[in-house]
Amino acid sequence: MKIFNRSIRIREYSLPVSIGFYEVEKQRPQRVLIDIDLRLAPLTQEMPDDVHATVNYDLVHKAIPGLVAGRHFNLQETLCHELLALCASQHGVVGARVWVRKPDIYTDCESAGYEAEVEVAG
């Protein structure tokens, strides 16, 4: 049996990030929510119950704080694209989608954000 459309998802990863181009945004970190979809290659055989047969999403999860630590992002787009590069560098990932958003920026809506997707050349 061939299985298509495999993915691993990380949802609503919440962490403080120094982000924004307005002066008031540069004064303190803001809460950012991150959603990540890692697309995996189709399976051509039965899935072995072995961590080496899939993508270890723990590596992505643990790398995110280091990616944002000690720096400022003017744009959500920049943060999103750097997260995409991190995702694309993982062995076994054939594509990724990242959605970054600020949930506390406006009082009259849930959030404001940016989403981008990448295909990994094989």
Side-chain angles (χ1 to χ4, degrees):
M1 168 175 55
K2 191 168 184 176
I3 298 178
F4 298 93
N5 300 328
R6 301 186 318 132
S7 62
I8 290 173
R9 294 188 169 112
I10 298 173
R11 289 289 178 258
E12 296 193 9
Y13 188 119
S14 177
L15 75 162
V17 177
S18 180
I19 193 165
F21 61 88
Y22 294 113
E23 286 306 314
V24 68
E25 293 179 301
K26 294 178 181 180
Q27 294 175 6
R28 62 179 173 79
Q30 298 180 63
R31 185 168 65 113
V32 170
L33 297 176
I34 301 167
D35 287 352
I36 294 175
D37 293 338
L38 303 173
R39 283 197 325 281
L40 312 180
L43 280 178
T44 56
Q45 58 191 20
E46 187 174 320
M47 177 74 193
D49 193 19
D50 180 355
V51 70
H52 300 293
T54 190
V55 172
N56 185 348
Y57 54 83
D58 197 41
L59 298 175
V60 174
H61 180 267
K62 287 181 177 179
I64 293 172
L67 187 128
V68 303
R71 60 186 291 199
H72 179 81
F73 296 89
N74 285 321
L75 302 173
Q76 291 189 69
E77 289 86 336
T78 305
L79 173 58
C80 186
H81 291 189
E82 290 197 22
L83 288 165
L84 277 174
L86 168 68
C87 293
S89 72
Q90 302 304 306
H91 177 73
V93 171
V94 299
R97 176 181 296 150
V98 174
W99 182 26
V100 176
R101 62 198 180 281
K102 298 178 189 178
D104 306 320
I105 195 76
Y106 299 120
T107 59
D108 60 352
C109 62
E110 187 175 285
S111 64
Y114 176 79
E115 179 178 13
E117 187 171 348
V118 66
E119 296 289 327
V120 178

